[in-house]
Amino acid sequence: MQLTDLTFLNSFAKGDKEKIAKYIKMFLDAAPGIIINMETHLANNDLKQLRTAAHSLKPQAGYMGFKQGESLLKTIEQCADTGTDVDKIPSHIETFKTMFEQAKTELTTAL
Amino acid sequence: MAKPTSIFIVDDDPVQLQMLTDHLSSMSNFSIKTFATGEDALKQISDMPNIVFLDYYLNSIDKDAQDGLDILQEIKKTSPATEVIMLSGQDKIDVAVEVMKYGAFDYIVKGESAFYRAEKAVYNLYRLAKLKQNAGMYKSLSIAFGVAFVVMIAIVIYLVMAGKISNNPGWV
């Protein structure tokens, strides 16, 4: 199943392939660092920073049409913010990492 | 506010920063400066930008960076005429109310519709600036008319009292 959908990005960039590629590259450059930050903050039990990291990646995922990833980041953000289901955060991050690898492959193909 | 030609965009999300810059650039020939932290933007606030797009959370990269609410207050203190439009990934009414209380002109939730809303906010600010300009012009015209009327009445009274003109219209 395809995880990304470039409909919005195509419409936003009015079909400008260079612009679309620029946004995709920026996302692919930024996301791995933010995922590492999320893992580090989780390991340090710093839920505030974990929430901020998930929050910052959420809109970018949305613009790439990576809706499942965006939704999972929202869940991580809410768990970290409210302190509920904190025990589920590690598995959410693992799921996100797996989904991101597929999204990355799809987006790289679109470049 | 003068015609909005100078815009600062402050966001630690590079994709959002770039997309908003591209979108606003496609609207008009704005002078746009971008910053990853509020502290960097404040260093150049003496430029007195017309509009600042300001992210609510600015500490995803630098955890010690000040958040958008602090920066909003600093901007309003240093450059009161600058209009601040807050950006946030959270769709919460209490956050929106809070930022408006501190003087933000608008609150935009990040997402696909954010760019259209940013465009509308700039358009609304431009219209507001025009209205203020027109209101100022009408006020000046009203004052000038009032002064001219008072001077005219004073001249007529002076001429009547000096006997240069009669207060009898002539047909009585």
Side-chain angles (χ1 to χ4, degrees):
Chain A
M1 192 187 71
Q2 183 86 1
L3 286 179
T4 58
D5 176 1
L6 297 180
T7 306
F8 167 72
L9 221 47
N10 262 305
S11 157
F12 177 83
K14 297 181 175 72
D16 185 331
K17 302 274 182 220
E18 272 184 38
K19 268 191 183 174
I20 294 167
K22 179 174 72 176
Y23 303 140
I24 290 174
K25 278 181 192 159
M26 290 178 94
F27 172 67
L28 294 179
D29 285 347
I34 298 174
I35 294 170
I36 291 170
N37 284 347
M38 286 199 295
E39 291 179 310
T40 308
H41 297 317
L42 180 66
N44 294 337
N45 205 25
D46 187 347
L47 293 182
K48 195 178 168 199
Q49 279 303 118
L50 171 62
R51 182 191 59 83
T52 305
H55 177 84
S56 72
L57 191 55
K58 196 176 59 178
Q60 299 183 32
Y63 299 144
M64 302 299 134
F66 182 21
K67 298 295 179 190
Q68 285 187 50
E70 184 187 19
S71 171
L72 199 49
L73 287 167
K74 192 174 180 183
T75 304
I76 296 168
E77 184 189 356
Q78 281 173 346
C79 290
D81 190 28
T82 58
T84 51
D85 292 331
V86 175
D87 56 319
K88 290 181 184 162
I89 295 177
S91 73
H92 288 325
I93 293 178
E94 278 309 309
T95 309
F96 182 80
K97 277 170 69 178
T98 310
M99 287 198 307
F100 175 71
E101 284 309 311
Q102 188 189 325
K104 186 178 162 184
T105 308
E106 291 171 14
L107 292 170
T108 309
T109 311
L111 285 174
Chain B
M1 194 192 77
K3 186 183 174 189
T5 50
S6 168
I7 298 175
F8 280 11
I9 306 174
V10 190
D11 203 318
D12 56 356
D13 169 352
V15 180
Q16 181 76 36
L17 199 64
Q18 188 62 58
M19 288 175 77
L20 187 54
T21 303
D22 288 348
H23 188 72
L24 295 174
S25 300
S26 72
M27 276 175 68
S28 186
N29 191 25
F30 297 130
S31 157
I32 300 175
K33 287 185 180 176
T34 60
F35 306 90
T37 68
E39 286 87 340
D40 287 343
L42 286 176
K43 282 178 194 160
Q44 294 193 37
I45 203 68
S46 56
D47 291 3
M48 288 194 280
N50 301 113
I51 302 172
V52 176
F53 283 94
L54 181 64
D55 189 18
Y56 188 82
Y57 286 118
L58 288 163
N59 61 346
S60 73
I61 297 169
D62 176 0
K63 67 181 274 187
D64 296 322
Q66 279 184 281
D67 69 20
L69 206 56
D70 294 335
I71 301 297
L72 165 65
Q73 290 170 73
E74 286 292 324
I75 291 171
K76 283 290 166 188
K77 211 186 296 173
T78 323
S79 179
T82 296
E83 296 289 1
V84 178
I85 297 165
M86 214 74 182
L87 300 166
S88 175
Q90 47 182 350
D91 191 1
K92 288 183 180 171
I93 188 73
D94 51 332
V95 178
V97 170
E98 188 183 24
V99 301
M100 301 301 246
K101 196 175 78 185
Y102 284 105
F105 176 78
D106 205 349
Y107 176 80
I108 294 176
V109 179
K110 288 182 186 177
E112 292 179 5
S113 64
F115 305 98
Y116 172 71
R117 287 215 46 212
E119 186 181 322
K120 286 288 284 180
V122 171
Y123 173 71
N124 287 339
L125 279 171
Y126 178 69
R127 258 182 15 150
L128 194 66
K130 280 286 240 188
L131 282 172
K132 279 182 183 171
Q133 198 180 22
N134 287 345
M137 196 179 72
Y138 289 132
K139 195 176 168 187
S140 303
L141 275 174
S142 302
I143 291 169
F145 181 78
V147 169
F149 184 74
V150 168
V151 168
M152 199 177 74
I153 294 294
I155 290 170
V156 168
I157 290 169
Y158 169 76
L159 290 175
V160 168
M161 290 179 72
K164 305 245 184 212
I165 56 171
S166 168
N167 59 356
N168 184 344
W171 61 79
V172 181

